[in-house]
Amino acid sequence: MWVHPEEVLQASALWITERANPYFILQKRKGHGDGRGGLAGLLVGTLDVVLDSSARVAPYRILYQTPDSLIYWIIAHGCSRKEITEHWEWLEQNLLQTLSIFENENDITTFVKGKVQGIIAEYNKNHDVKEDDDTDKFKEAICTFRKLFGMPEEEKLVNYYSCSYWKGHVPRQGWLYLSINHICFYSYLLGKEAKLVIRWADITQLEKSATLLLPDAVKVSTRVAEHVFSVFLNINETFKLMEQLANIAMRQLLDNEGFEQDRSLPKLKRKTPKKVSALKRDLDARAKSERYRALFRLPKDEKLDGHTGCTLWTPFNKMHILGQMFVSTNYICFTSKEETLCSLIIPLREVTIVEKADSSNFLPSPVSISTKNRMTFLFANLKDRDFLVQRISDFLQQTTSKIYFERETTGSVNSSDDEGSLLSSSPQRSSLGSEGSSEGERQFNLNDNSVPTATQALMTMYRRRSPEEFNPKLAKEFLKEQAWKNHITEYGQGVCMYRTEKTKDLVLKGIPENMRGELWLLFSGAINEMATHPGYYEDLVEKSMGKYNLATEEIERDLHRSLPEHPAFQNEMGIAALRRVLTAYAFRNPNIGYCQAMNIVTSVLLLYAKEEEAFWLLVALCERMLPDYYNTRVVGALVDQGVFEELAREYVPELYDCMQDLGVISTISLSWFLTLFLSVMPFESAVVVVDCFFYEGIKVIFQLALNVLHANIHQLLGAKDDGEAMTVLGRYLDSVTNKDSTLPPIPHLHSLLTDDGDPHPEVDIFKLVRSSYEKFGSIRADVIEQMRFKQRLRVIQTIEDTTKRNVVRTIVTETAFSIDELEELYVLFKEEHLTSCYWGGTGGSNPTERHDPSLPYLEQYRIDLEQFRGLFSLLFPWAPVNGAHADLLALRFFRLLDHNGDSLINFREFISGLSVLCHGDLTEKLKLLYKMHVIPGKCVCTVHRKGKLHTPDYRHYLRLWNQGTKNKLDNMKDLPKLNQSQFIELCKTLYNMFSEDAQEQELYHATATVTSLLLEMGEVGKLFCHSKDQEEQDQDDPEEAKTSGPAQDGGTKPEGVFQQRGQGEGKEESQARPCGPAKRDGRGEQLSAMEEIRLEDSSPKDTGTSSSMLISDDETKDDTSMSSYSVLSGGSHELDDKLHCEDINDDTVLVRSENRPHGGGNGPHGEGGPHGRDGGLPHSTSIDKDWAITFEQFLASVLTEQALVLYFEKPVEVAARITNAKNVRKVGCSLLSASDYEISLSG
C-alpha cells in the first residue's frame, strides 16, 4: 500500500535490493520468503519479531531517491510480492518519464511526495476510509495480528505486549495480542514459529502467579490446558486488561450482552503512549467508570469524565481534608485519601452556583459550589482550576436543560421544599410529600378500583404497640431519632450529606423505624434514579397492567408467601402493592423477570418505603448492589458463594475443611445471601442487617456470615452430618433478637423447622454486627471484586458444562453417537454460534438474538443457515466438494431439519440429521435423501405455465413427515411422490456426492443405470394417470407441438435425462464433436445450472421417432474413454448449443438448454434459431407434470446396484471428521502452518 513519505537513513541495512532505476528502489527484507536467507535471515526474522518491527507486516518496500542525494524516502510497502510489483509497475509507467522533465531535484522530490499523498487521499475517498484515533504503530500491529492469525476485520485488537510463553520448560519470547474475543501469542525464534489462539469464552481460570523461577507470571487455564506467560514490562496493566476482556466474554455467555465500542471518547493527547489503541482507551475508561459508580452508588449509565487531587473544607471539624474530586456528567463526588474519613456526593441537579473563589497562600485555587438546600462546599488545591470549572459549568448547563425538559413533558415534578423530609434536597422526593400529606402524589389504582392504593410505607399503617412495651423502647427510639436529627443538622441533609465514620456508627446502632425508608433510599443511591426518572414507575405499572406471562404467574403464586405473618400482607392493600412493584420490575428487566426471594425482599422494602421508592430500591438491589443474583440461574449468588468459601478458608481455616465435607456452605450461603438474612432471622433483627447492607454493601453480609460460623465453630466441628450442622446454625439465627425494636413480636416461620431441644441463648443483633466488624472488618470491597471475577469464570464455565451434559444426556438415547462424540459435536455447534456472534453473519439474523440463556437447555444455542453451511461442509459425509452444490445441498438439509420453520435449528435437530448420515441404515439414508428433494431448495420445484409461477410450500411436506409415532413402513408409504423436476435435482445431488470418491466411475455408471430404471418406471406410471393438461396445451400451441416432434413433447414423452443410442453411432458422434475430458468442477457447474433435460436420440435420423424407454447398452458400458459428447437438439438437424456433457454413462447423454443466448442468439430465450421465441419449443413445456416416482421405487432401484449399496452402507469415521473440524474451525478459519509451527487452540 502507498504510505506517506518518510525518511530512511540506511537503505541497505537488513534489506536486499531486487529492482532499481534512477529514482526508485524495490527491496525485500532479509529473512523473509523462500529459504529465510540462511543464518543472517533467521537472525533478522527473529529481531523483527522481538523488536516489533514493521517489516514483519510488510517485508517489501519501495524507496524514492534522487541521483545526487543520500536521503531515501519510503513511499510504499507491501505484504506480498504481487502487491509491491503492482505499485512498482505503476511508477515505471506513469511517473518515471515525467520525472525526467524536471531540472531541480527539490522539485522532483516535492512532486513525488505530493503525488503519493494524492494517491492516498484519493484511495481513502473512494473506499470511504474514515480517520480513526489509532496511531500508525498500532495500525501496523493490527495488520500483523490479522495476518498471523487469520482474523477478519470484525475482530478488534485491543493491545499487544511483549512477553514469554512457556512451552514446556522452554520460554518462547514473542508478542501477546489481546483482542475482544481472543488471546493470541506469536513467536519466531531462529526459524521456529509458535502460535497460540484461545477464546476468552473458553477460559476457566485467569490468575497472576508468583514463584521463585517466575516472580511475575500470568496463568491462563482452559478445560484442556494451562498456559503460562511471563516477563511482562507491566504485568499489572496487562492482567487488568485480560480480566476485563474475560469479563466481557463471561457477560456474553451469561446474558448475551455483546460488546459495543464507545465512540464518544476524547481525542488522544500528545503525551499518550504511541501504541495505545482507541479500544484500549475505551476499556480503560469503562473500568474507571465502573469503580467510580460502585464507590458512590451511582446509576449504571453514569460515565466518569475525570478526577483530580484536591482538598475539601469540612465545617463539622474545621479541617481541609486531602482527597480526590471526581467529575462526571451528572455528579461531583469526593472521597478522602484516608478511606473512612469523609465522602461526598453532589448531584448537579442540586447545584445552583459554581464559582472560583479568591486564592490565598492558605487556600490556593479554591472553587465554591452551592446547592439548593443552602449548603456550600469549598474545594481547594485544584490543578488546572479554570478547565475544571468550565467542564463543570458545561455539565451543569446540560443538566439544567434536561430537568426543564422533564418538567415540561411529565408535569409531575414539584420543586417546593418539604421541611418534614430528610431528603428534601431531591425534587422527586419533595413531590411525594411528607408522611402526613399526599397532595403532591399521583393517585393511581390500576388493579381493582375497590382496593385502596398504598400511598405511604405500609409500616406506618400497621404499626401496633403493646401498652406494656410503650415507655422504655419508645424512649430509646426517640433518642435514636434525636441522634440522627443532630447528625443531619451538623453534616448536612439529603444526598449532599457528608458521610463520615460517625454516619457509619449511627447505622450500626440502628436506624429509627420512621427514618429507615428514606435513609435506605439515600445510602443505596436509589434516590438518584428516582429523581431523574419522574413518572417512570407509574407509566411502567400502567403498561404492565393486565399483561400475563411466566413471570406474572410466578409472582401471583408467591404473593401470599411473602411475610404472611406480618399484618401488612394479610390484606389486599399490601398484596396489591407487592404485585405492582414486582410486576413493574419484571417488565422493566425481562432478563431477570421474577426470581424467588425477590418477593421477600420487596415486601420488607414496602414496609418502610412508599411504593415507588420500594421499586427503585429493588432496582438498586437487583442491578447494582447484588448483580446477577436474581436471574434465572442465580449466578451472582453462586459467585458470592464461591467468594464466601474463599473467605472461610482464609478467616476460619479450622472450620473450612469440615464445612466442605458436610457440604453446608453451599446450602447456607444461597438462603442467607439471596434474602439478606430476612428468611433465616427474626424480622426485627434482619432489618438491622439490611440497614448495614444499604450503607456498606455486600461486605456486611460476608462479615456477618463468617461471624455466625465463628460463633458456632465448636458445635459445627462436632456435627456428624449436614442436617445436624444446619440445625445448629438455624437455632443460633432464630435466637438473634433486637431488644430495641418497638414492633410487636412477629412469629418467625423458620423457627418451626428447628428441633425441640432447649432454645439457644439470645444473641443481640447489634452486638453480633459490631463483633463482625471487629473480627472481619478488614475485608475490602476491591478484594471482594477480585474474588468475584475469579469465581465468575468458574461459575459460568461450570454452568456451560452443566448445560452441555444436560443436552447430551437428553439426546444420547435418541442417537448412536457416544457421549464423548456428542460432547465434541456440541462444542463445535456452540463455537459456530459464538463465532457468528463475534464477527456477524450474512444470514440476515442477529446471532445475539439466537442465544437466550433463559430458554431450556436444548434451545439455548441455535444456528441459522449460514452457520449450518460451515458445519455441513466439515461434518456431513454427503457434502460435495464443489462449493455451489454444497451450499444448495446444505439449504435442502437445513430446511428438512428445521421442524418448526423458524429458520433456526437447535442441537437436537442438528444431531438427528447427522446421526442418520453417520449411523443410519441404507433405508434411512435414502429416505433422508428423498425427503430433501421433495422440499424445494430454492424454488427449484417451479413450473412455468402460461406466465404464472407456482412455488410449493415445503411446510406442507414437513407436516406430512413429522409423525414420529408411526413405524417405518407407514412413513414410507406416506412420503409424497417425486415429480420430474425434483427427480432431476436428486440426480444432480447424486453425481455431485460421488466427486473424488475412490469408486467414482463405478458409482456414476450405477447411478446412470438406476436413473434409467426410474425413468422407465415413471413412464409406466404415466399410463395410469389421466391428466388433460397436455391436451389443453396441444390445443393452445398446435404448431409448436408439430414442429418440436413427439420426442420433445413434454406432455406425452418423458422429459428424462438419458436415452438409448447405438454403440457405433455414439462413438462416431463423440469423435465428430469432442468436448474434451470430463472435469469434476465442470460437471458441478453444468448440473447446477441445468434447467431443461430432454429425452432424445443422439442420431439425427431418429429425432422424429418416439423413445419412451431408456436402455443402457451393455456392450458400451466397459468403454470409459468416451467422457463427453456434443449432441443435436431435438427437432432440428442443425447444431443448437455446444453443450459439454459428462460421462454419466457411455451410452447415455445429458442435454441442457441454457437460458442465455449462445452464438447467434440460439437457445430458449434467443431471438432466432429453431428454439427461438417465434418458432421454437417454449420453456414452459420443459417439465412433465404427469411423470412421478415413489420412494419405494427409488429404494428398490438403488438396491439393484451393488456400488450404490456399498456407498450408502459405508461406515463413517465420525471421530476423524470431528478432529478435522476442530482443526479447521480454529477462530473461524483455517490456520495453515509449516511443519515447524506449533499451533494450539483451546477448547
Side-chain angles (χ1 to χ4, degrees):
M1 60 180 292
W2 301 102
V3 296
H4 294 284
E6 295 180 4
E7 284 189 26
V8 179
L9 297 179
Q10 293 181 332
S12 59
L14 306 180
W15 292 84
I16 303 170
T17 300
E18 294 197 334
R19 296 188 190 181
N21 59 44
Y23 295 100
F24 302 104
I25 303 171
L26 190 154
Q27 295 184 326
K28 183 184 78 171
R29 184 73 165 181
K30 289 181 180 179
H32 288 268
D34 299 333
R36 296 280 186 184
L39 181 59
L42 293 177
L43 290 172
V44 173
T46 302
L47 285 173
D48 285 344
V49 171
V50 174
L51 300 178
D52 192 29
S53 169
S54 59
R56 286 196 300 153
V57 189
Y60 298 92
R61 70 180 185 181
I62 296 176
L63 302 180
Y64 158 75
Q65 181 203 29
T66 54
D68 299 330
S69 173
L70 296 177
I71 299 176
Y72 293 84
W73 299 81
I74 179 170
I75 59 173
H77 59 62
C79 301
S80 64
R81 186 182 297 276
K82 178 183 177 183
E83 181 185 2
I84 206 69
T85 302
E86 290 177 356
H87 291 346
W88 179 264
E89 291 174 352
W90 186 90
L91 290 171
E92 287 187 328
Q93 295 170 9
N94 297 281
L95 220 56
L96 206 53
Q97 294 181 354
T98 307
L99 298 182
S100 60
I101 301 174
F102 292 92
E103 297 180 358
N104 189 335
E105 289 188 354
N106 290 333
D107 292 343
I108 296 175
T109 302
T110 303
F111 176 77
V112 171
K113 290 167 67 175
K115 191 70 175 175
V116 171
Q117 290 172 345
I119 292 172
I120 295 171
E122 185 68 21
Y123 177 86
N124 291 345
K125 180 181 178 182
N126 293 339
H127 292 79
D128 194 25
V129 177
K130 297 179 180 178
E131 291 293 325
D132 54 32
D133 291 335
D134 291 337
T135 59
D136 291 338
K137 185 66 176 175
F138 194 80
K139 289 176 184 176
E140 288 180 5
I142 293 173
C143 293
T144 306
F145 169 69
R146 290 177 183 159
K147 180 182 177 183
L148 290 175
F149 305 105
M151 296 289 182
E153 290 188 6
E154 291 82 3
E155 184 67 8
K156 304 296 184 184
L157 180 65
V158 180
N159 213 352
Y160 63 108
Y161 301 93
S162 173
C163 70
S164 291
Y165 169 58
W166 287 80
K167 186 71 174 176
H169 298 289
V170 180
R172 305 294 302 272
Q173 184 65 30
W175 290 87
L176 185 70
Y177 295 87
L178 305 180
S179 67
I180 288 296
N181 303 301
H182 298 89
I183 173 174
C184 307
F185 177 82
Y186 177 79
S187 171
Y188 175 80
L189 293 174
L190 300 178
K192 190 72 172 177
E193 198 164 19
K195 289 183 184 179
L196 176 72
V197 179
I198 306 172
R199 294 176 192 264
W200 290 114
D202 291 331
I203 292 177
T204 57
Q205 192 172 7
L206 182 67
E207 59 182 350
K208 278 195 294 188
S209 60
T211 62
L212 189 61
L213 180 63
L214 299 173
D216 285 323
V218 174
K219 185 169 74 172
V220 180
S221 303
T222 66
R223 292 178 178 85
V224 295
E226 288 185 354
H227 309 277
V228 178
F229 303 91
S230 63
V231 197
F232 289 95
L233 294 177
N234 188 341
I235 188 171
N236 290 327
E237 177 194 334
T238 308
F239 187 71
K240 282 181 180 177
L241 180 58
M242 294 172 80
E243 278 188 326
Q244 200 171 1
L245 292 170
N247 252 328
I248 291 172
M250 293 305 106
R251 177 59 55 188
Q252 194 170 30
L253 287 176
L254 176 61
D255 58 13
N256 215 31
E257 185 178 291
F259 174 81
E260 292 185 7
Q261 185 175 353
D262 185 2
R263 301 291 182 182
S264 62
L265 292 174
K267 297 292 182 182
L268 278 173
K269 298 177 181 178
R270 292 182 180 178
K271 296 180 181 179
T272 306
K274 286 187 176 180
K275 70 173 198 176
V276 174
S277 68
L279 202 52
K280 172 67 165 58
R281 292 167 53 235
D282 177 11
L283 289 170
D284 288 344
R286 286 171 188 244
K288 290 178 182 177
S289 293
E290 285 175 8
R291 289 193 293 270
Y292 167 64
R293 291 193 296 264
L295 182 60
F296 298 105
R297 307 277 172 79
L298 300 178
K300 291 181 70 175
D301 56 353
E302 193 66 19
K303 293 181 182 178
L304 178 64
D305 187 68
H307 60 92
T308 182
C310 68
T311 60
L312 172 66
W313 169 254
T314 51
F316 52 86
N317 60 1
K318 308 294 189 293
M319 290 178 62
H320 290 280
I321 297 179
L322 184 64
Q324 288 267 330
M325 174 194 279
F326 299 85
V327 179
S328 61
T329 316
N330 300 294
Y331 299 88
I332 300 170
C333 300
F334 174 86
T335 184
S336 58
K337 193 171 183 181
E338 187 179 340
E339 189 174 354
T340 59
L341 199 56
C342 179
S343 68
L344 179 67
I345 302 171
I346 310 174
L348 291 182
R349 65 178 183 272
E350 298 292 327
V351 174
T352 54
I353 301 173
V354 178
E355 58 184 350
K356 291 180 280 189
D358 295 333
S359 293
S360 66
N361 293 332
F362 299 104
L363 202 63
S365 304
V367 171
S368 172
I369 300 176
S370 302
T371 63
K372 294 177 182 176
N373 59 345
R374 296 179 289 279
M375 292 180 71
T376 301
F377 304 95
L378 188 63
F379 298 92
N381 291 284
L382 288 162
K383 295 179 181 178
D384 206 356
R385 178 179 65 163
D386 294 342
F387 174 79
L388 179 66
V389 171
Q390 182 60 46
R391 198 75 181 145
I392 294 174
S393 299
D394 292 342
F395 288 141
L396 189 58
Q397 188 174 3
Q398 296 172 14
T399 305
T400 306
S401 303
K402 194 185 301 180
I403 291 175
Y404 177 78
F405 175 75
E406 287 174 351
R407 289 180 179 177
E408 289 294 317
T409 53
T410 63
S412 63
V413 180
N414 183 0
S415 60
S416 62
D417 288 334
D418 177 13
E419 297 298 332
S421 173
L422 289 171
L423 308 179
S424 61
S425 58
S426 166
Q428 174 65 15
R429 181 79 189 195
S430 303
S431 70
L432 296 176
S434 62
E435 288 185 1
S437 172
S438 59
E439 283 185 0
E441 296 185 10
R442 279 179 62 177
Q443 297 292 335
F444 62 99
N445 184 6
L446 302 170
N447 285 355
D448 188 347
N449 291 331
S450 62
V451 179
T453 300
T455 57
Q456 301 176 16
L458 296 178
M459 187 65 79
T460 62
M461 293 186 248
Y462 294 97
R463 183 177 295 159
R464 295 183 302 178
R465 297 191 177 99
S466 302
E468 65 274 10
E469 295 177 346
F470 187 82
N471 291 327
K473 292 191 176 181
L474 278 188
K476 206 164 187 178
E477 185 80 359
F478 177 77
L479 291 176
K480 280 186 185 180
E481 290 182 14
Q482 283 301 116
W484 273 99
K485 288 179 180 178
N486 294 337
H487 181 80
I488 289 168
T489 303
E490 186 177 359
Y491 290 86
Q493 184 178 13
V495 189
C496 303
M497 174 195 295
Y498 291 99
R499 306 178 194 207
T500 66
E501 191 69 27
K502 189 175 179 182
T503 314
K504 177 180 170 182
D505 290 338
L506 283 175
V507 172
L508 295 186
K509 290 176 182 176
I511 297 176
E513 294 282 339
N514 62 349
M515 301 173 75
R516 184 164 270 142
E518 296 184 4
L519 289 173
W520 283 358
L521 210 61
L522 177 66
F523 294 142
S524 67
I527 186 174
N528 294 314
E529 288 163 303
M530 190 173 77
T532 53
H533 295 81
Y536 175 85
Y537 173 69
E538 291 91 332
D539 294 338
L540 204 58
V541 172
E542 290 175 6
K543 290 177 183 177
S544 62
M545 181 181 62
K547 302 288 178 62
Y548 296 98
N549 53 29
L550 182 61
T552 57
E553 290 179 13
E554 292 177 346
I555 290 169
E556 289 297 327
R557 188 169 59 244
D558 286 350
L559 283 176
H560 295 279
R561 304 175 188 172
S562 309
L563 290 186
E565 64 274 17
H566 197 284
F569 296 100
Q570 293 171 358
N571 62 78
E572 191 55 33
M573 179 188 288
I575 295 294
L578 182 60
R579 177 187 294 114
R580 285 192 293 270
V581 173
L582 290 174
T583 306
Y585 186 77
F587 276 80
R588 167 188 166 86
N589 191 343
N591 290 332
I592 291 179
Y594 171 77
C595 173
Q596 281 188 337
M598 286 174 68
N599 60 319
I600 296 174
V601 175
T602 307
S603 59
V604 174
L605 299 179
L606 279 167
L607 288 175
Y608 292 102
K610 299 176 186 179
E611 197 170 303
E612 183 178 12
E613 295 170 350
F615 170 79
W616 287 112
L617 282 168
L618 184 63
V619 169
L621 202 70
C622 295
E623 298 176 11
R624 289 191 286 106
M625 303 189 73
L626 296 176
D628 303 321
Y629 259 59
Y630 300 107
N631 60 22
T632 53
R633 296 180 284 189
V634 292
V635 171
L638 293 173
V639 168
D640 280 353
Q641 175 185 307
V643 172
F644 181 53
E645 290 182 9
E646 277 196 73
L647 293 172
R649 182 167 58 237
E650 181 179 350
Y651 288 97
V652 283
E654 64 274 21
L655 187 60
Y656 175 76
D657 291 335
C658 171
M659 298 293 284
Q660 285 294 93
D661 293 340
L662 295 176
V664 172
I665 290 182
S666 59
T667 306
I668 61 176
S669 56
L670 280 180
S671 60
W672 292 4
F673 295 168
L674 277 171
T675 63
L676 304 175
F677 286 93
L678 287 167
S679 63
V680 294
M681 265 190 198
F683 172 78
E684 60 274 8
S685 302
V687 290
V688 176
V689 178
V690 179
D691 292 343
C692 301
F693 169 76
F694 277 125
Y695 187 78
E696 286 270 71
I698 191 64
K699 65 168 285 186
V700 172
I701 306 299
F702 287 127
Q703 290 172 185
L704 194 62
L706 288 171
N707 202 29
V708 170
L709 292 183
H710 188 268
N712 294 277
I713 188 168
H714 299 297
Q715 296 94 316
L716 291 172
L717 286 172
K720 298 176 183 178
D721 53 34
D722 57 340
E724 186 177 345
M726 292 299 296
T727 301
V728 168
L729 294 172
R731 290 181 60 210
Y732 180 84
L733 290 171
D734 283 336
S735 68
V736 178
T737 59
N738 180 1
K739 296 179 180 179
D740 295 346
S741 175
T742 60
L743 301 176
I746 299 173
H748 182 44
L749 296 183
H750 186 267
S751 61
L752 301 176
L753 304 176
T754 58
D755 61 359
D756 297 329
D758 295 334
H760 193 282
E762 288 186 350
V763 179
D764 185 71
I765 181 63
F766 298 107
K767 290 181 180 179
L768 183 64
V769 171
R770 182 69 66 179
S771 172
S772 71
Y773 271 90
E774 292 171 356
K775 294 175 183 175
F776 308 106
S778 58
I779 299 174
R780 294 170 52 87
D782 56 344
V783 174
I784 291 175
E785 284 305 314
Q786 281 286 334
M787 291 180 172
R788 276 179 164 177
F789 164 74
K790 179 181 175 181
Q791 294 298 328
R792 192 176 294 116
L793 286 179
R794 180 189 61 81
V795 167
I796 293 179
Q797 296 295 14
T798 301
I799 289 174
E800 291 294 307
D801 291 341
T802 303
T803 300
K804 178 174 69 174
R805 286 195 298 271
N806 287 334
V807 169
V808 169
R809 191 183 302 120
T810 302
I811 65 176
V812 69
T813 57
E814 304 171 6
T815 175
F817 289 116
S818 67
I819 291 179
D820 292 340
E821 288 172 343
L822 284 173
E823 289 184 348
E824 295 279 6
L825 289 168
Y826 179 84
V827 169
L828 288 170
F829 188 86
K830 174 183 166 184
E831 285 181 355
E832 191 67 38
H833 166 83
L834 289 178
T835 301
S836 68
C837 289
Y838 296 159
W839 303 330
T842 58
S845 61
N846 184 359
T848 57
E849 294 176 357
R850 299 197 299 271
H851 175 216
D852 185 354
S854 64
L855 290 173
Y857 290 120
L858 276 170
E859 296 289 339
Q860 283 184 18
Y861 291 105
R862 295 174 292 173
I863 59 175
D864 64 8
L865 176 60
E866 193 69 22
Q867 286 81 54
F868 178 76
R869 280 175 175 158
L871 292 175
F872 178 79
S873 62
L874 293 172
L875 294 172
F876 285 67
W878 291 357
V881 177
N882 183 288
H885 295 296
D887 287 349
L888 181 58
L889 191 60
L891 171 63
R892 296 179 183 280
F893 218 130
F894 182 85
R895 288 186 171 178
L896 183 63
L897 298 178
D898 182 16
H899 296 303
N900 58 1
D902 63 352
S903 299
L904 297 171
I905 61 171
N906 60 31
F907 186 63
R908 169 182 269 157
E909 293 167 337
F910 176 80
I911 288 297
S912 67
L914 183 60
S915 180
V916 172
L917 265 60
C918 293
H919 299 292
D921 58 27
L922 175 69
T923 304
E924 289 175 335
K925 292 178 181 177
L926 292 177
K927 186 189 296 183
L928 190 67
L929 183 66
Y930 185 90
K931 287 179 179 180
M932 286 164 54
H933 291 82
V934 179
I935 296 180
K938 43 181 183 181
C939 297
V940 293
C941 183
T942 60
V943 178
H944 293 270
R945 177 172 294 276
K946 297 182 182 180
K948 295 182 179 180
L949 180 68
H950 174 65
T951 306
D953 185 1
Y954 65 87
R955 292 181 182 82
H956 167 71
Y957 300 112
L958 287 174
R959 285 194 293 270
L960 293 177
W961 300 329
N962 198 13
Q963 301 175 10
T965 56
K966 294 188 177 183
N967 58 37
K968 289 184 179 180
L969 292 176
D970 290 340
N971 284 340
M972 196 181 296
K973 292 178 181 178
D974 290 342
L975 289 175
K977 291 184 177 181
L978 205 66
N979 66 29
Q980 194 174 79
S981 175
Q982 295 163 346
F983 175 68
I984 292 169
E985 295 299 324
L986 177 59
C987 293
K988 295 180 191 178
T989 299
L990 285 172
Y991 283 109
N992 286 309
M993 280 168 55
F994 305 145
S995 179
E996 296 191 7
D997 191 274
Q999 307 296 322
E1000 185 176 358
Q1001 290 300 323
E1002 289 83 352
L1003 289 167
Y1004 286 151
H1005 285 293
T1007 304
T1009 304
V1010 169
T1011 310
S1012 304
L1013 187 57
L1014 287 171
L1015 282 168
E1016 183 177 353
M1017 290 180 181
E1019 288 299 312
V1020 172
K1022 283 174 57 178
L1023 299 176
F1024 301 96
C1025 181
H1026 302 286
S1027 173
K1028 297 183 180 180
D1029 289 348
Q1030 183 56 39
E1031 296 178 8
E1032 296 173 0
Q1033 185 167 339
D1034 289 342
Q1035 293 173 4
D1036 293 340
D1037 303 306
E1039 293 298 322
E1040 289 184 309
K1042 181 177 179 182
T1043 305
S1044 61
Q1048 284 296 318
D1049 192 332
T1052 57
K1053 298 300 172 187
E1055 302 276 350
V1057 186
F1058 309 105
Q1059 74 151 44
Q1060 180 180 2
R1061 178 181 57 210
Q1063 178 182 0
E1065 293 166 356
K1067 290 183 179 180
E1068 180 182 352
E1069 186 66 23
S1070 65
Q1071 291 168 359
R1073 296 295 301 268
C1075 296
K1079 305 290 184 185
R1080 292 187 182 104
D1081 291 341
R1083 175 187 304 112
E1085 292 170 6
Q1086 290 175 21
L1087 292 178
S1088 67
M1090 183 182 297
E1091 291 164 358
E1092 299 179 27
I1093 302 181
R1094 302 188 181 90
L1095 178 69
E1096 63 183 1
D1097 197 303
S1098 63
S1099 175
K1101 60 185 171 57
D1102 293 332
T1103 52
T1105 64
S1106 172
S1107 176
S1108 61
M1109 299 181 66
L1110 188 150
I1111 304 171
S1112 177
D1113 192 341
D1114 293 331
E1115 294 180 7
T1116 61
K1117 188 177 277 191
D1118 296 332
D1119 185 3
T1120 58
S1121 61
M1122 301 294 108
S1123 60
S1124 59
Y1125 303 87
S1126 179
V1127 298
L1128 298 175
S1129 288
S1132 171
H1133 297 294
E1134 301 284 327
L1135 287 177
D1136 185 355
D1137 291 335
K1138 190 174 181 180
L1139 302 174
H1140 296 273
C1141 306
E1142 308 304 331
D1143 56 335
I1144 297 163
N1145 204 341
D1146 288 329
D1147 57 332
T1148 56
V1149 183
L1150 272 173
V1151 182
R1152 182 188 70 185
S1153 294
E1154 299 198 359
N1155 282 338
R1156 64 181 185 277
H1158 190 79
N1162 295 337
H1165 297 292
E1167 294 301 323
H1171 289 175
R1173 292 183 184 275
D1174 297 332
L1177 180 69
H1179 184 65
S1180 60
T1181 61
S1182 61
I1183 300 299
D1184 185 352
K1185 285 186 62 179
D1186 298 332
W1187 190 96
I1189 59 168
T1190 64
F1191 173 69
E1192 291 94 330
Q1193 292 171 329
F1194 174 62
L1195 175 62
S1197 302
V1198 171
L1199 290 174
T1200 62
E1201 289 296 323
Q1202 185 68 15
L1204 289 174
V1205 172
L1206 291 176
Y1207 176 83
F1208 285 106
E1209 289 185 340
K1210 181 170 59 178
V1212 177
E1213 295 292 335
V1214 179
R1217 286 185 171 272
I1218 292 174
T1219 302
N1220 177 63
K1222 288 169 66 177
N1223 292 334
V1224 174
R1225 298 308 292 171
K1226 291 179 179 180
V1227 294
C1229 60
S1230 177
L1231 289 179
L1232 301 178
S1233 63
S1235 59
D1236 59 346
Y1237 278 23
E1238 298 170 10
I1239 297 184
S1240 173
L1241 181 69
S1242 70

